[in-house]
Amino acid sequence: MTKTQTNNPLHGLTLEKILTRLHEHYGWQGLHEKININCFSNDPSIKSSLKFLRKTQWARDKVEALYISTFVKPQ
């Protein structure tokens, strides 16, 4: 394991796990308020959001950053 992966708070987490935990914490409305993307407001689901996020790197980056700021404790 490389040092960068050891320090990566998302290491071992799938995008689906990240999105599911954020959804459980914020709900779709809260996610849309935090990250203004249509997949969180227009008939949202885990499946449709994952499809969008896997194709759209900037949106995925925002979701990952929100996960880190919400759940990862500073060291």
Side-chain angles (χ1 to χ4, degrees), residues 1-36:
M1 185 180 294
T2 64
K3 187 163 180 65
T4 55
Q5 287 302 312
T6 304
N7 295 328
N8 180 352
L10 301 176
H11 181 68
L13 290 173
T14 64
L15 183 57
E16 184 173 8
K17 286 180 184 174
I18 291 168
L19 183 58
T20 299
R21 185 143 184 232
L22 285 170
H23 173 251
E24 289 170 352
H25 186 78
Y26 290 110
W28 292 120
Q29 181 64 36
L31 276 172
H32 184 254
E33 290 169 6
K34 296 277 187 188
I35 306 170
N36 187 9

Side-chain angles (χ1 to χ4, degrees), residues 11-62:
H11 181 68
L13 290 173
T14 64
L15 183 57
E16 184 173 8
K17 286 180 184 174
I18 291 168
L19 183 58
T20 299
R21 185 143 184 232
L22 285 170
H23 173 251
E24 289 170 352
H25 186 78
Y26 290 110
W28 292 120
Q29 181 64 36
L31 276 172
H32 184 254
E33 290 169 6
K34 296 277 187 188
I35 306 170
N36 187 9
I37 51 180
N38 287 338
C39 71
F40 294 155
S41 65
N42 185 15
D43 195 23
S45 71
I46 295 291
K47 185 177 178 181
S48 66
S49 296
L50 284 172
K51 186 175 180 180
F52 174 76
L53 292 170
R54 286 180 177 132
K55 292 190 292 186
T56 315
Q57 187 63 47
W58 65 265
R60 182 179 180 148
D61 291 343
K62 287 181 181 258

Side-chain angles (χ1 to χ4, degrees), residues 61-74:
D61 291 343
K62 287 181 181 258
V63 167
E64 290 174 347
L66 178 60
Y67 182 90
I68 290 169
S69 68
T70 303
F71 297 114
V72 177
K73 307 275 187 265

